[in-house]
Amino acid sequence: MNHFAEVPSLFSDDEIIEAVPLPKGTVPSYMRDHRKRLRERFVTGGAAALPDYELLELVLFRAIPQRDVKPLASDLITRFGDFNRVLSASPDQLKQTRGVGDAVITELKIVEAAAHRLSRSRIMRRHVLSSWDALVDYCHTTMAHRETEQFRIIYLDTKNTVITDEEQAKGTVDHVPVYPREVVKRALELNASALILVHNHPSGDPTPSQADIDMTKQIETAANALNITVHDHLIIGKSRETSFRAEGYFDRSP
């Protein structure tokens, strides 16, 4: 007689992969030991002590407490490439991996949101020059692994302190519509004195296109007419970024 036949499932069908029915609260000893070892390694050595799939296991432990999540973590890393890309994948993309349901997606998106909020807190109300590396890190955290283009603007006050950053537009895999009038209008609403433009290239290559250069010139012209400075335009790739200021694009003729 199966004593566990009436025990309700803790997971939806898409979150069960070869699961062995267990009493509620029961976790096999080998699984407990494995999870304990991973947690100890993380506490002792931090994230650097764990490869991506093991760090992902730590996240999945909370979403799936009674199943071995190592195969799922491995599948997700194989599918998306690394830990960051798993976190930034859309819910629809994540659901294409067998074993991923609402609980897993929620846990991953909580971690992603926490990472974004932490990196954003490192630049808000800070002088942009003294926190430039943090600003670039924030842009990479929020934009480097997006599958579509996103255009963000970082607004600065007269002391070049960050007032806020906002998404101005979303686009496709290779284009995002940007309207200079809306950019300048928002700067006036915030009483901003300067801007930093940021957008990503989903291809991973941050080399500016001619359209990127032309759009930047248009925004710079509109902003200068109202004594608003465009300090830089950053294009975020998968592993590096391009600074218009550093590359001299602002000094080129239209």
Side-chain angles (χ1 to χ4, degrees):
M1 179 177 178
N2 186 351
H3 295 288
F4 309 135
E6 300 303 319
V7 176
S9 173
L10 297 179
F11 315 106
S12 58
D13 291 340
D14 63 349
E15 290 183 315
I16 300 176
I17 301 179
E18 298 177 359
V20 177
L22 292 169
K24 186 175 181 179
T26 298
V27 177
S29 60
Y30 77 89
M31 193 184 303
R32 287 198 306 271
D33 292 343
H34 173 66
R35 294 183 175 196
K36 180 181 179 182
R37 286 194 298 270
L38 279 190
R39 291 187 176 107
E40 288 175 346
R41 284 169 52 200
F42 178 77
V43 170
T44 302
L50 302 175
D52 278 4
Y53 79 90
E54 288 186 338
L55 188 61
L56 186 55
E57 280 189 74
L58 287 177
V59 177
L60 296 176
F61 288 166
R62 292 175 55 86
I64 309 176
Q66 290 181 280
R67 176 163 61 82
D68 182 4
V69 297
K70 184 175 182 179
L72 178 56
S74 180
D75 287 348
L76 287 168
I77 295 296
T78 298
R79 181 180 181 86
F80 294 103
D82 60 31
F83 183 81
N84 292 332
R85 288 183 176 91
V86 173
L87 292 185
S88 59
S90 69
D92 287 341
Q93 290 173 322
L94 290 167
K95 284 181 179 179
Q96 293 174 20
T97 299
R98 186 168 179 253
V100 173
D102 291 342
V104 168
I105 291 171
T106 298
E107 202 68 32
L108 293 175
K109 290 306 166 185
I110 288 172
V111 176
E112 181 190 29
H116 289 183
R117 186 162 296 187
L118 176 61
S119 60
R120 189 173 189 269
S121 71
R122 292 172 175 165
I123 67 167
M124 293 305 300
R125 299 296 171 181
R126 298 191 183 186
H127 190 278
V128 71
L129 294 181
S130 63
S131 58
W132 185 255
D133 289 344
L135 185 148
V136 173
D137 287 345
Y138 167 66
C139 293
H140 274 281
T141 298
T142 56
M143 302 174 74
H145 301 297
R146 291 179 60 91
E147 297 299 322
T148 57
E149 285 199 15
Q150 179 191 56
F151 190 84
R152 302 188 71 86
I153 303 174
I154 298 170
Y155 298 93
L156 310 172
D157 64 15
T158 55
K159 296 181 179 179
N160 285 328
T161 297
V162 176
I163 299 172
T164 189
D165 87 291
E166 295 181 352
E167 179 183 67
Q168 202 272 341
K170 293 180 181 178
T172 62
V173 294
D174 60 0
H175 174 71
V176 59
V178 179
Y179 305 100
R181 177 188 293 181
E182 295 301 318
V183 173
V184 175
K185 177 182 177 183
R186 183 58 178 155
L188 292 174
E189 290 173 350
L190 293 170
N191 198 29
S193 297
L195 311 172
I196 296 174
L197 314 176
V198 189
H199 85 280
N200 63 306
H201 278 182
S203 67
D205 180 2
T207 303
S209 66
Q210 188 58 50
D212 293 334
I213 296 171
D214 293 343
M215 175 266 292
T216 304
K217 291 286 187 182
Q218 292 168 11
I219 294 177
E220 186 180 24
T221 298
N224 286 345
L226 296 172
N227 294 318
I228 298 171
T229 302
V230 179
H231 279 318
D232 208 342
H233 183 173
L234 296 175
I235 299 182
I236 306 299
K238 287 287 192 277
S239 58
R240 62 188 180 90
E241 72 285 342
T242 292
S243 160
F244 272 48
R245 180 68 63 188
E247 296 296 326
Y249 286 102
F250 284 138
D251 298 327
R252 299 179 182 181
S253 300

